[in-house]
Amino acid sequence: MVHDDEPVLLGRAGRTAHITLNRPRALNALTHPMVLRISEALAEWEDDESVTAVLLSGAGERGLCAGGDIRAVHEDVRAGGSASPAFWRDEYRLNARIARFPKPYVALMDGIVMGGGVGVSAHGGPRIVTERSSVAMPETAIGLVPDVGGTYLLSRAPGELGTHLALTGGAVGAADALLCGLADHFVPSERLAALRAALAGPAVREAADVIGTVREYGTAAPEGRLAADREWIDACYAAGTVEEIVERLLAAGLPAAKEAAETILTRSPTALKATLEAMRRARRLPTLERVLDQEYRTSCAALATPDLLEGIRAQVVDKDRRPRWSPRELAEVTEADVARFFTPPPGGDLGLGDEAPGGDGLGRGAPAPVS
């Protein structure tokens, strides 16, 4: 029996299986049981011939998912527990499962889609954004490195757009999500109900029908801003260090570049330097699984830093938005500090890349039809 108060609602409409993230008061933030439930459902539907596609959405009016439950991470760190690495281990495995899912995995990225919300949506496809979409990987604001495959996705964005988004944690709308490869189609929010109904209809019997239906409801997205900013973004973020990136941004003489520099300087200096290194390494890693292995190391390493606890306190617990980072300045973060983010964690590596089936060389396992 399914209850409406369950954090993940599963259902069927025609040949389309539904996953609804159902914690609207918490903006559908992911918990460990939610991750396990979604993974179990996908494992079941993968071989179910009566299921042609999966549709992911979020309950409530605010968005798909604001990320992982970082309050739980805060409590776990304070208690000296081991729940966070266990959660990430299963969450990152779910991200890889979504990327390898052999059927259309339609993600409605409507409203706020951040952190873990990107992880459960942007590795599938077709991925749909609306005029209300706000997509971000804001981890540097809480002392973390972008995870859930975020450094994989952002490192594959055109030029240095991904580096810009990873360091600032800035949110993008529909057009810029499409430009950066985080989404596939724009569908106006007023047409989502009709799209849902069409995906449940008798005309949807195989994967090509799903792709065709999504395209039928799609249209051109309102203009974004990143395409016009490519020149200064590419020039500034190609620098070798965070300090030099900030210097170039401030010297660019452009209000948007100055704003980016000022935003970066509010983020955790340690997380910023680890993030830049993670992004550069992710570009050289051939598959999503390999990048998730790296992100597991960076996330576990963050648990041993003071900035993670402090960042969550400032942004989520006390909400004073005034984190006291340690070290306080970029120049005080040493190469050894950064290197620690890329060493095996105390509980051992994730090892997902060693277990993954043969991929397509682009990070996916068995290629899923995406657009």
Side-chain angles (χ1 to χ4, degrees):
M1 182 175 180
V2 175
H3 300 280
D4 287 345
D5 60 351
E6 291 182 359
V8 176
L9 303 180
L10 304 176
R12 294 277 292 275
R15 295 180 64 88
T16 299
H18 286 217
I19 300 172
T20 304
L21 308 181
N22 190 40
R23 296 182 68 212
R25 290 186 184 179
L27 227 168
N28 302 319
L30 295 170
T31 64
H32 200 165
M34 291 171 71
V35 164
L36 294 174
R37 188 72 188 98
I38 296 167
S39 188
E40 290 169 1
L42 292 179
E44 178 183 338
W45 293 331
E46 186 169 334
D47 297 320
D48 187 337
E49 294 183 358
S50 70
V51 173
T52 296
V54 172
L55 177 67
L56 173 75
S57 62
E61 300 297 321
R62 297 168 62 198
L64 173 66
C65 175
D69 188 345
I70 57 175
R71 283 183 178 271
V73 174
H74 186 268
E75 293 168 4
D76 181 49
V77 174
R78 289 190 65 186
S82 58
S84 297
F87 168 59
W88 288 325
R89 184 175 288 272
D90 288 325
E91 184 182 25
Y92 301 171
R93 288 178 181 275
L94 172 60
N95 302 146
R97 178 183 287 278
I98 291 168
R100 294 195 302 264
F101 196 67
K103 302 175 182 181
Y105 179 94
V106 185
L108 300 185
M109 300 172 71
D110 185 34
I112 293 173
V113 187
M114 295 185 176
V118 174
V120 294
S121 58
H123 298 300
R127 306 160 297 175
I128 296 167
V129 282
T130 75
E131 76 283 355
R132 302 186 299 206
S133 295
S134 180
V135 185
M137 295 298 298
E139 283 75 12
T140 56
I142 59 168
L144 265 177
V145 174
D147 64 339
V148 299
T151 61
Y152 176 84
L153 294 165
L154 294 178
S155 69
R156 268 73 178 170
E160 295 291 340
L161 294 181
T163 309
H164 170 61
L165 297 180
L167 294 182
T168 63
V172 296
D176 290 332
L178 292 165
L179 173 64
C180 291
L182 301 173
D184 302 306
H185 300 280
F186 174 80
V187 176
S189 59
E190 63 184 17
R191 305 190 75 182
L192 291 181
L195 173 59
R196 282 174 172 270
L199 290 173
V204 173
R205 301 201 58 82
E206 51 189 52
D209 301 328
V210 177
I211 307 306
T213 299
V214 171
R215 286 177 173 163
E216 179 183 342
Y217 283 85
T219 186
E223 188 176 356
R225 59 175 293 181
L226 288 183
D229 290 342
R230 271 289 302 275
E231 186 174 355
W232 66 261
I233 287 175
D234 287 354
C236 294
Y237 288 91
T241 66
V242 180
E243 290 96 327
E244 189 179 352
I245 288 172
V246 171
E247 289 174 6
R248 291 188 186 186
L249 290 169
L250 292 173
L254 298 167
K258 182 174 182 288
E259 180 184 351
E262 291 171 346
T263 297
I264 288 171
L265 292 173
T266 68
R267 304 317 195 202
S268 159
T270 302
L272 287 168
K273 288 200 170 183
T275 294
L276 183 61
E277 179 66 17
M279 286 287 292
R280 301 282 160 84
R281 291 188 183 209
R283 280 182 182 166
R284 301 191 296 267
L285 293 172
T287 64
L288 170 63
E289 286 84 2
R290 293 293 185 187
V291 176
L292 287 167
D293 284 345
Q294 175 175 279
E295 290 177 349
Y296 185 70
R297 289 185 173 191
T298 61
S299 294
C300 290
L303 294 171
T305 71
D307 280 4
L308 179 58
L309 200 63
E310 174 62 11
I312 299 175
R313 179 206 66 76
Q315 297 295 334
V316 178
V317 180
D318 297 338
K319 298 182 180 179
D320 60 22
R321 307 293 192 267
R322 299 183 65 180
R324 296 179 291 274
W325 304 123
S326 178
R328 293 172 59 92
E329 304 293 336
L330 286 165
E332 298 172 356
V333 181
T334 68
E335 291 184 6
D337 293 333
V338 175
R340 279 193 283 273
F341 279 79
F342 300 92
T343 58
D349 274 324
L350 181 61
L352 187 58
D354 297 330
E355 303 169 10
D360 62 1
L362 297 176
R364 296 179 183 273
V370 296
S371 60

